[in-house]
Amino acid sequence: MTLCLAKYSALESLAAAAQPAHRLLALPRTEPFDYDAPSSKAVADAQRSLPFLTQPATFVLPDASYRRNLRGASFLICKHAAVPGALWKLRAPADKPRQRNRNPIPAASEAVQGLPGTSSPAFCLAQLGTELPFAQLAELACSLTGLYRFAPSRTGSILDAAPIATLSEMRGFLERHSSIAGSRNARRALGHAIERLGSPAETALYLMLCLPRRVGGFGFPHPVANGTITPSSSRRVRVSQSEFHPDLLWPKARLILEYDSDEHHRLPQQAARDAKRRNDLEILGFDVIVATRAILRNVSLFDKMANQIRLRLGLRATIRTEKWLQQRAELRQLLLSPSLNSHYWR
């Protein structure tokens, strides 16, 4: 039989698939899985082939009759594990021959025994929709569709990774299978997520600004993350780049919000390039606001920045009630402070 990962174990496998060092691919699966009662050997093979999995690993089963009390494993029972699109396959990429006259290194199906399957991003989001707070579920939806990858073994985030899924793909699966436990919460979170965010900090910045006021956000309209700005031919000669990809862009307001992380902007050369880039964007007619880690973490500084954005977006000031201030504090706690499981997506 093939075991299939669920919940946080599935997130670890999807994260590892973005890292060359793990030599792992996560791919949509069209053929059905062959379910049977799991065995100790199958669990051991899965753990051996994916040594980064946090123990005990969680596997999904379509029926409680398959459940077994096995060391190092816990099981999620969900009848929707058998529906199309719920599960993906994991495999190692095939290597090319090292030398012309030698046989190629075997492909994953031959060289790696015991690789389990994994829950698809949408199915995984629904599984966690029954336990994560709304803000963290939206954060997870952003990370699954972002340009960065959460890393297994708590080693920090990996930047410059391809998105695992799209919002429309995940929404389509959850709408087709709306009776999955957690599906409603997951679809609600997807409605407040945007694609192509570039880091966990950018995701937190976006959510605190744009989540509805009823959950502690400022309720700003959704920006475009890492979209493309192409200068017109007349302005191209005045700037240093043929394309710009700002962190957050409100196109109609011609407003850009850039995030400068401490760890990526220490070198003077990098600072000079960033300053030149912002000057170029202002030449193209955009207002540029810069957020830093200090602004993100300081309530007063963040409020001043949010007010700047509000004015440039042409939005009216809203009354700050005691209830909203409490909700904002709770939202900041969820998005900026470590929690029991937040290391799986940030």
Side-chain angles (χ1 to χ4, degrees):
M1 70 163 293
T2 301
L3 289 175
C4 300
L5 298 167
K7 300 180 75 170
Y8 301 108
S9 297
L11 287 183
E12 288 182 306
S13 69
L14 293 171
Q19 302 174 64
H22 286 292
R23 295 186 43 73
L24 191 67
L25 297 176
L27 303 168
R29 184 184 179 102
T30 56
E31 67 273 18
F33 277 98
D34 178 25
Y35 280 107
D36 197 356
S39 65
S40 297
K41 182 181 184 304
V43 170
D45 286 344
Q47 294 169 341
R48 185 163 48 250
S49 62
L50 302 177
F52 52 78
L53 289 178
T54 301
Q55 302 301 318
T58 303
F59 302 92
V60 62
L61 296 172
D63 189 280
S65 63
Y66 292 113
R67 190 198 300 266
R68 297 292 183 272
N69 185 15
L70 300 177
R71 182 178 180 181
S74 63
F75 296 99
L76 171 70
I77 307 302
C78 180
K79 66 179 182 180
H80 294 89
V83 303
L87 303 174
W88 281 14
K89 58 186 174 183
L90 297 174
R91 68 175 181 83
D95 284 323
K96 296 179 180 179
R98 295 177 183 269
Q99 295 181 11
R100 178 174 298 179
N101 295 325
R102 292 190 178 183
N103 293 327
I105 296 175
S109 59
E110 300 168 339
V112 181
Q113 300 298 322
L115 271 175
T118 188
S119 298
S120 69
F123 191 29
C124 188
L125 192 69
Q127 293 165 9
L128 297 174
T130 61
E131 59 185 74
L132 287 180
F134 165 71
Q136 290 189 338
L137 200 61
E139 184 186 14
L140 175 57
C142 289
S143 70
L144 289 168
T145 61
L147 300 178
Y148 64 96
R149 195 68 65 248
F150 39 88
S153 304
R154 311 188 187 192
T155 56
S157 295
I158 295 174
L159 303 183
D160 301 325
I164 294 175
T166 67
L167 294 177
S168 60
E169 289 170 350
M170 291 196 290
R171 189 178 296 111
F173 172 83
L174 294 171
E175 287 174 351
R176 289 191 300 273
H177 306 289
S178 58
S179 59
I180 297 176
S183 175
R184 181 178 180 181
N185 290 341
R187 282 181 282 132
R188 178 176 169 236
L190 288 173
H192 295 281
I194 62 173
E195 298 176 340
R196 299 181 61 80
L197 286 159
S199 70
E202 287 179 28
T203 298
L205 182 65
Y206 156 71
L207 291 171
M208 289 193 292
L209 290 172
C210 299
L211 282 180
R213 287 181 56 82
R214 65 178 181 273
V215 296
F218 284 83
F220 293 165
H222 290 188
V224 176
N226 289 286
T228 301
I229 296 174
T230 305
S232 63
S233 56
S234 60
R235 293 189 177 186
R236 174 66 184 87
V237 296
R238 301 175 58 193
V239 297
S240 59
Q241 297 176 221
S242 59
E243 286 186 349
F244 296 85
H245 302 276
D247 295 338
L248 297 174
L249 166 67
W250 286 268
K252 290 183 179 180
R254 299 188 72 79
L255 175 64
I256 287 170
L257 179 60
E258 294 277 76
Y259 179 74
D260 279 358
S261 59
D262 297 341
E263 60 269 25
H264 290 100
H265 297 270
R266 288 175 179 164
L267 297 177
Q269 301 93 324
Q270 181 64 48
R273 285 195 295 269
D274 290 342
K276 171 60 177 168
R277 181 171 175 271
R278 290 180 193 121
N279 288 338
D280 286 347
L281 288 167
E282 289 173 356
I283 289 172
L284 296 176
F286 293 91
D287 288 332
V288 181
I289 296 175
V290 179
T292 63
R293 187 177 186 276
I295 291 174
L296 187 65
R297 297 279 173 174
N298 184 284
V299 173
S300 177
L301 293 177
F302 191 91
D303 283 356
K304 290 179 181 178
M305 180 195 69
N307 193 51
Q308 283 183 289
I309 296 171
R310 179 188 64 79
L311 291 172
R312 283 170 169 79
L313 292 177
L315 303 175
R316 293 185 300 175
T318 53
I319 299 174
R320 300 189 172 206
T321 64
E322 286 297 324
K323 181 178 180 181
W324 180 79
L325 291 172
Q326 177 61 33
Q327 289 169 327
R328 181 188 62 170
E330 293 171 358
L331 179 63
R332 291 180 63 86
Q333 177 74 18
L334 286 170
L335 295 177
L336 297 179
S337 299
S339 61
L340 180 63
N341 295 309
S342 61
H343 61 277
Y344 287 106
W345 63 83
R346 69 167 83 129

